[in-house]
Amino acid sequence: MMSSHPVREAASAGRKPVTLTKLRDMHLQAEPITMLTCYDATFAEVLDEAGLDCLLVGDSLGMVVQGHSTTLPVTLEQTIYHTQCVARRLSAAWLVADLPFGSYGETVEQVVRSAAALMKAGARMIKLEGGGWTAECVRALTERGIPVCAHLGLTPQSVHALGGYRIQGRTETSAELLKRQARELSDAGASMLVLELMPSSTAAEVGREVPEIVTIGIGAGPSTSGQVLVLHDMLGLTRGRLPRFVRNFMAGSAGIEAAVRSYVEAVKDRSFPDPELHGY
Ligand code: KIV
């Protein structure tokens, strides 16, 4: 059966595996970094071939794959399973996996155990949400050789505490808090930082606070080192009203591969995100 025997060499032909050093260099040279979420092997191959720099096994899988209304029900075991599926077909892109809600908030031992399980599943970097107490988690992981991506702004695991999926960092005080938390996370060893749903000006201020680390924006304007979107959103598959920062790359594309390539091109040539259309 042809489809179960894909020609492996075709995947990501000629691309060297993306490393943390490469991502840092891209950041320093202001070459935009591309990231999309991914939850299965077939998409991993398609996205890798399209030239994505990074893939994220996001806990958004709880919403787009499992049908929950929040990311809270996602378990560590489920994230391990999806990370294994994605890692099996990946040859070049840098793989980040989310620590799901409840898998890192208790003790240092717990966060190290959870992160190690995701690294064994094939992740190259672990992502965790929030500032303040998470700096201790970041330090524990990076001291043990596990690269960490932090996540500030709208942190969906705290949706109930935040009062919904609302824009963060709008006031001077909340922007100052984000800057302080970003500084603490970088000092603790985080090498990447996702900034979600905040005014472009706030994201730019946070970026200036931590120029030494890679920032990846989602609804945070054009100033970040790179961009991420949820795969199902950018392919126009998600039903209901989408946030303003999402662009449907299937519109006008000949198919999924073309849509993904068009996302890569748009991030690289900085036509996405357009501050007028996708910014706050
Ligand atoms: O889970 C996820 O998909 C994420 C991205 C939105 C950054 O955390």
Side-chain angles (χ1 to χ4, degrees):
M1 202 173 88
M2 273 305 286
S3 63
S4 64
H5 296 281
V7 182
R8 283 279 157 267
E9 310 79 67
S12 312
R15 268 217 302 161
K16 282 204 206 138
V18 176
T19 60
L20 193 50
T21 311
K22 164 84 179 157
L23 293 170
R24 283 197 184 113
D25 286 350
M26 290 171 76
H27 163 63
L28 292 175
Q29 287 158 20
E31 178 188 343
I33 295 169
T34 52
M35 181 189 272
L36 283 175
T37 64
C38 186
Y39 319 99
D40 68 48
T42 300
F43 267 108
E45 200 160 30
V46 167
L47 302 186
D48 208 19
E49 279 178 30
L52 263 293
D53 299 308
C54 309
L55 301 189
L56 167 66
V57 181
D59 60 359
S60 50
L61 75 88
M63 298 170 85
V64 299
V65 177
Q66 298 175 336
H68 296 294
S69 58
T70 72
T71 60
L72 303 189
V74 176
T75 65
L76 180 63
E77 288 66 34
Q78 290 162 351
T79 313
I80 291 170
Y81 168 76
H82 286 280
T83 302
Q84 288 168 334
C85 294
V86 171
R88 257 176 225 133
R89 290 280 178 86
L90 215 54
S91 38
W94 176 255
L95 184 57
V96 186
D98 254 342
L99 278 172
F101 179 70
S103 72
Y104 57 106
E106 292 167 21
T107 58
V108 162
E109 288 74 25
Q110 187 202 24
V111 68
V112 171
R113 206 176 324 111
S114 299
L118 288 173
M119 297 297 278
K120 282 179 194 289
R124 296 283 179 268
M125 174 178 250
I126 299 307
K127 181 164 84 57
L128 47 76
E129 292 187 7
W133 64 273
T134 55
E136 191 190 349
C137 298
V138 172
R139 182 160 286 111
L141 296 180
T142 53
E143 280 176 355
R144 288 163 178 79
I146 300 177
V148 178
C149 174
H151 183 158
L152 292 175
L154 174 71
T155 44
Q157 292 175 15
S158 309
V159 60
H160 299 306
L162 296 174
Y165 297 100
R166 306 155 77 104
I167 303 174
Q168 305 296 306
R170 275 200 137 136
T171 64
E172 206 179 310
T173 315
S174 58
E176 282 306 317
L177 177 63
L178 289 174
K179 280 162 61 178
R180 196 165 67 243
Q181 292 177 335
R183 172 47 47 220
E184 288 167 2
L185 290 162
S186 177
D187 289 347
S191 38
M192 190 183 274
L193 173 61
V194 166
L195 297 175
E196 179 163 355
L197 201 59
M198 63 185 68
S200 309
S201 54
T202 302
E205 275 186 54
V206 175
R208 280 194 291 275
E209 177 67 32
V210 286
E212 68 279 10
I213 64 173
V214 172
T215 54
I216 305 285
I218 172 163
S223 74
T224 48
S225 336
Q227 298 291 329
V228 59
L229 282 178
V230 170
L231 180 65
H232 295 54
D233 291 351
M234 59 77 70
L235 290 179
L237 296 171
T238 308
R239 296 294 172 257
R241 204 166 67 86
L242 287 179
R244 172 187 167 84
F245 64 77
V246 175
R247 176 170 146 195
N248 176 1
F249 284 85
M250 276 299 275
S253 292
I256 288 174
E257 281 95 339
V260 173
R261 283 183 198 280
S262 148
Y263 169 75
V264 171
E265 264 170 45
V267 173
K268 294 282 179 196
D269 71 16
R270 300 182 190 279
S271 54
F272 177 80
D274 178 336
E276 296 291 307
L277 298 175
H278 310 115
Y280 299 94

